[in-house]
Amino acid sequence: MKMEMKKTFRWLMGAAALSITLVASSCSDNEDPTPEPDGGFEVVRDDLKGEITKGEVVLESGTYKLTGKLIVKEGAKLTIKAGVTVEATATNEMASVRYIGVAQGGQIDIQGTATSPVVLTAQEHKPGAWGGLVICGRAPINKGATAVSEVGELNYGGTDVNDNSGAIKYLRIEYSGYAYNSEKEFNALSLFGVGSGTTIEYVQAFEGSDDGFEWFGGTVKANNLVVTNKLADVGDDLFDWTEGWVGGGENWYGIRTNAGNRGIEADNNSENHLADPISNPTIKNVTLIGGSQDKSSEPQALKLRVGTKGTFDNLVLSNWATGFDVENDEGIGYVGEGSLKATRVKFDNVTTKAKGKKTDGSSANVDGVFTEDASATGAGAGTAKPEWANNWTVGLD
């Protein structure tokens, strides 16, 4: 009996000591919590800006005011739920341009839907009102082993072809293209060395002042893209790539009714046309609609130059002075060998289907760059709005 009483006493004393320890620890945590290493990131709905340096930040619902640059650093993630609007406030100061940047090793997860897209827009409804979305990855480029983005000043490039910068689905980017000067402008979506592990689907660039989408090297694929440029003061190209982009995409629909430039401007590397990797995307199901043949300063559906390769299939080209414009000896050589080629092309109100110019300025025959097919459907419905663009896009009806 005495032995049992001793055991019971010892057990009760141990349990009491453990209880006291747990209570003390709990009180200590509540009263004096251990701070995060960087203090954490505070989401302020009317003052969204700063650097997300760790963990995941989620924008849940409603509208957020972007009042400066928002950078997602390595190891951090920005998630934007369906139906959220991020609105860049107005500024006249170059140092405080509003944009969202995803650095190497950071991730963005845009979770829009066809009936409830995510919208990145601006308080001022005019082209060039803010910077847009910039994503930088670790996939190969041909500008060097690595480089610094022309906007946002973030590092990009590397050796990871499968690099993953996150996922974007059902996103509309409006009124982007802020210009630092005539040589340095934001696009709607700028992709610097982004890898093939990244998902990009159902994105519209609406009334931006520079390119809708531009790839600077990388391996990422992008499907179901829309560019809409109808305001009078909108310039540059609908789609653009350079620096060795070897990704691709399906279902691209671009339309402009103003005096902007080309449907696609495609380069390899302007300083070294043979720089490796050589731009060589595979793209199918494309509709490109120009403003008019006498409006645009560069009225070409596709401008293929400084050594780009590319494989295209099922294109509808409408209302351009020139369909395919191939420049420089390297590109003309790629036409001859078949590594720069478009199959199943339908021309609608296109004056010159193809023309070529050698590096010395002399003309070259590049009719072999395309084969025609009057039944080509382009992005899905010829020059009409494709069915996959219903509900989440604007300005197409």
Side-chain angles (χ1 to χ4, degrees):
M1 179 67 70
K2 288 182 180 180
M3 183 63 69
E4 291 179 358
M5 289 180 65
K6 286 181 179 180
K7 289 181 178 180
T8 302
F9 178 77
R10 288 173 182 169
W11 181 88
L12 290 172
M13 290 298 290
L18 178 60
S19 177
I20 291 170
T21 301
L22 290 174
V23 170
S25 176
S26 176
C27 290
S28 174
D29 287 346
N30 289 335
E31 293 172 3
D32 185 22
T34 301
E36 295 291 339
D38 61 357
F41 181 87
E42 182 181 5
V43 175
V44 180
R45 188 175 288 272
D46 292 329
D47 189 19
L48 183 64
K49 63 182 178 182
E51 293 187 346
I52 303 171
T53 60
K54 65 189 296 288
E56 181 182 18
V57 168
V58 181
L59 305 185
E60 293 279 0
S61 62
T63 299
Y64 296 79
K65 302 289 186 180
L66 186 68
T67 57
K69 62 183 180 181
L70 178 63
I71 306 298
V72 185
K73 304 289 281 187
E74 181 174 6
K77 182 177 182 179
L78 173 64
T79 296
I80 307 179
K81 298 287 190 178
V84 166
T85 295
V86 178
E87 182 182 70
T89 58
T91 181
N92 293 318
E93 299 178 8
M94 188 176 298
S96 64
V97 58
R98 288 81 161 101
Y99 67 94
I100 298 175
V102 180
Q104 288 181 317
Q107 287 201 336
I108 189 165
D109 185 9
I110 293 180
Q111 302 178 354
T113 68
T115 56
S116 189
V118 170
V119 180
L120 306 181
T121 188
Q123 181 181 15
E124 294 182 290
H125 287 187
K126 66 178 185 180
W130 72 297
L133 178 58
V134 178
I135 303 178
C136 295
R138 292 193 172 103
I141 61 174
N142 67 25
K143 192 175 182 178
T146 61
V148 177
S149 61
E150 65 179 20
V151 290
E153 298 182 346
L154 297 170
N155 293 330
Y156 70 101
T159 59
D160 187 357
V161 296
N162 299 313
D163 192 35
N164 183 355
S165 296
I168 298 174
K169 292 185 177 181
Y170 290 104
L171 168 66
R172 192 164 69 245
I173 305 172
E174 302 177 342
Y175 309 112
S176 61
Y178 183 91
Y180 289 107
N181 52 52
S182 60
E183 301 297 323
K184 186 177 178 181
E185 294 180 78
F186 286 89
N187 306 294
L189 180 58
S190 301
L191 301 163
F192 291 90
V194 177
S196 62
T198 308
T199 298
I200 300 175
E201 297 177 346
Y202 301 98
V203 185
Q204 180 181 20
F206 178 75
E207 303 297 6
S209 64
D210 198 49
D211 303 322
F213 299 86
E214 185 163 6
W215 292 261
F216 298 83
T219 55
V220 68
K221 295 181 179 180
N223 299 328
N224 301 91
L225 306 182
V226 176
V227 185
T228 311
N229 287 164
K230 296 184 178 181
L231 296 180
D233 54 352
V234 177
D236 225 355
D237 313 301
L238 301 177
F239 304 92
D240 195 334
W241 65 78
T242 185
E243 296 183 16
W245 179 47
V246 294
E250 296 184 9
N251 301 329
W252 292 8
Y253 185 90
I255 181 171
R256 70 170 350 116
T257 61
N258 53 38
N261 289 337
R262 304 141 182 149
I264 291 176
E265 179 180 278
D267 297 334
N268 183 44
N269 184 304
S270 59
E271 296 182 0
N272 177 5
H273 297 185
L274 296 175
D276 186 66
I278 293 175
S279 294
N280 190 17
T282 299
I283 303 167
K284 64 185 299 183
N285 307 336
V286 179
T287 294
L288 300 173
I289 304 172
S292 77
Q293 297 186 15
D294 58 352
K295 277 185 181 180
S296 178
S297 59
E298 298 284 356
Q300 303 108 345
L302 292 92
K303 182 82 165 185
L304 308 167
R305 62 185 188 183
V306 298
T308 189
K309 297 181 181 181
T311 301
F312 309 87
D313 179 59
N314 189 24
L315 279 66
V316 172
L317 309 179
S318 178
N319 213 28
W320 301 95
T322 303
F324 296 87
D325 189 343
V326 182
E327 289 189 353
N328 304 110
D329 295 347
E330 296 83 4
I332 292 168
Y334 296 147
V335 171
E337 70 181 32
S339 57
L340 182 58
K341 179 74 173 181
T343 54
R344 296 196 297 156
V345 180
K346 179 180 180 179
F347 296 97
D348 170 48
N349 193 30
V350 175
T351 304
T352 301
K353 293 179 179 179
K355 68 178 183 179
K357 184 170 69 174
K358 298 179 182 179
T359 302
D360 64 10
S362 60
S363 297
N365 187 314
V366 291
D367 288 347
V369 74
F370 70 88
T371 59
E372 288 190 69
D373 184 346
S375 65
T377 57
T383 57
K385 176 183 177 182
E387 184 176 354
W388 53 261
N390 288 338
N391 300 316
W392 62 280
T393 62
V394 294
L396 295 179
D397 296 320

